[in-house]
Amino acid sequence: MAKVNILGVNFDNKSFTQFQNEFIGRINAHKSTLIVTANPEIVMAANENPEFMKILTYDADYITADGIGIVKASQILKKPIKQRVTGYDLFVWLMKLANERGLRVYLIGAKPDVIHAIQAKIARDYSDIQLVGAEDGYFNEDLELVAYQIERTEPDLVFAALGSPRQEQLLSILRKNLLPALMMGVGGSFDVFSGKTKRAPRIWQSAHLEWFYRLLKNPSRYKRMLVLPRFVNEVYKSKKGKE
């Protein structure tokens, strides 16, 4: 099953390795590519925001299951997705690939101190990357102007950590302009990559409790977690409606 529809969002049913192979092919061919790593929050937000849903439906080339909630939902719908593929894991792999190949990378988003920390890390550990842009997320310019500024640097990879749907809105402009780059929204990945935020230990990841670890570390996230029961309820309702 190539696609799995969950509340109107079409997820690509591929393994991490399959995504890697396809992304390498598209980078080699300089194909304009927009990747969305979607979790239950994003699915629910798209259901409440028609413009966001349009981006996911018409502009995104790939949508990965970033979150065990998406995998569980696919199982409830009897259309199981092969594997959870997180934005952070894809981001780290793509950064390593960029270093191996000397690719041109543009980063935008997060706080100024996070971007500065990432710049230092790239200079130290990924020195073969051509960092053609590194801008924090606190800009006032129109997204169209920001997109134009990114285009001028001729990047091979663009990563936006602006939160959804803003990061996808920016990248969709670049995608519509056919920028020959692979582009992906990465949410809070810059914070973890920079070392400013600690990722859940591997044992929590393996138990699919990374979300709970983040909640324990940052209790203010509980408001965001309230979307999960609503998501599950909507999935069961959609299943019942198709029976």
Side-chain angles (χ1 to χ4, degrees):
M1 193 175 295
K3 300 276 187 180
V4 176
N5 187 289
I6 298 176
L7 301 183
V9 176
N10 283 314
F11 286 84
D12 289 277
N13 194 4
K14 303 178 190 293
S15 67
F16 192 88
T17 301
Q18 287 175 312
F19 279 120
Q20 287 176 307
N21 291 335
E22 292 200 24
F23 295 164
I24 287 173
R26 293 182 76 93
I27 291 169
N28 289 343
H30 302 287
K31 283 190 175 180
S32 187
T33 305
L34 173 55
I35 304 164
V36 175
T37 61
N39 57 21
E41 282 182 80
I42 287 178
V43 171
M44 293 301 286
N47 274 267
E48 295 165 3
N49 182 339
E51 291 303 313
F52 189 22
M53 184 64 87
K54 280 183 183 178
I55 290 174
L56 300 188
T57 304
Y58 301 110
D59 300 333
D61 297 285
Y62 294 91
I63 300 180
T64 79
D66 184 359
I68 192 60
I70 298 298
V71 176
K72 294 294 185 184
S74 72
Q75 293 168 352
I76 290 170
L77 296 171
K78 306 295 185 185
K79 299 176 181 178
I81 288 174
K82 293 179 182 179
Q83 186 179 0
R84 176 191 177 211
V85 178
T86 72
Y88 184 74
D89 289 335
L90 278 174
F91 172 61
V92 171
W93 169 71
L94 284 165
M95 289 294 281
K96 291 177 180 175
L97 182 71
N99 190 52
E100 291 169 5
R101 297 189 172 198
L103 299 180
R104 299 169 64 83
V105 175
Y106 196 107
L107 306 175
I108 183 167
K111 296 178 180 178
D113 63 322
V114 171
I115 280 291
H116 294 152
I118 287 182
Q119 287 175 296
K121 180 171 183 174
I122 289 173
R124 183 182 68 246
D125 302 330
Y126 297 78
S127 58
D128 287 328
I129 283 178
Q130 297 182 62
L131 189 60
V132 296
E135 182 180 356
D136 65 60
Y138 294 78
F139 55 84
N140 297 316
E141 294 92 343
D142 180 86
L143 289 182
E144 293 278 356
L145 176 58
V146 174
Y148 171 70
Q149 293 167 344
I150 294 173
E151 287 176 10
R152 290 181 62 188
T153 68
E154 299 181 350
D156 299 305
L157 301 174
V158 181
F159 299 107
L162 302 169
S164 293
R166 195 169 179 231
Q167 61 192 22
E168 284 79 22
Q169 290 168 343
L170 171 62
L171 298 179
S172 72
I173 295 170
L174 296 170
R175 180 66 183 85
K176 287 172 182 173
N177 292 346
L178 299 178
L179 178 70
L182 186 142
M183 302 161 276
M184 184 170 74
V186 294
S189 294
F190 286 5
D191 299 85
V192 179
F193 190 74
S194 69
K196 296 289 184 180
T197 299
K198 185 179 178 183
R199 193 179 187 190
R202 187 66 66 178
I203 190 170
W204 289 74
Q205 295 177 44
S206 299
H208 304 304
L209 290 171
E210 197 168 359
W211 63 273
F212 189 56
Y213 177 87
R214 292 198 299 270
L215 179 61
L216 291 176
K217 289 292 182 180
N218 184 7
S220 65
R221 288 178 60 91
Y222 86 92
K223 290 182 180 179
R224 293 174 58 181
M225 296 295 103
L226 294 176
V227 76
L228 295 176
R230 289 175 47 226
F231 171 73
V232 173
N233 184 53
E234 290 300 319
V235 169
Y236 274 110
K237 281 168 62 177
S238 71
K239 179 189 178 185
K240 188 175 181 180
K242 293 174 183 176
E243 289 176 346

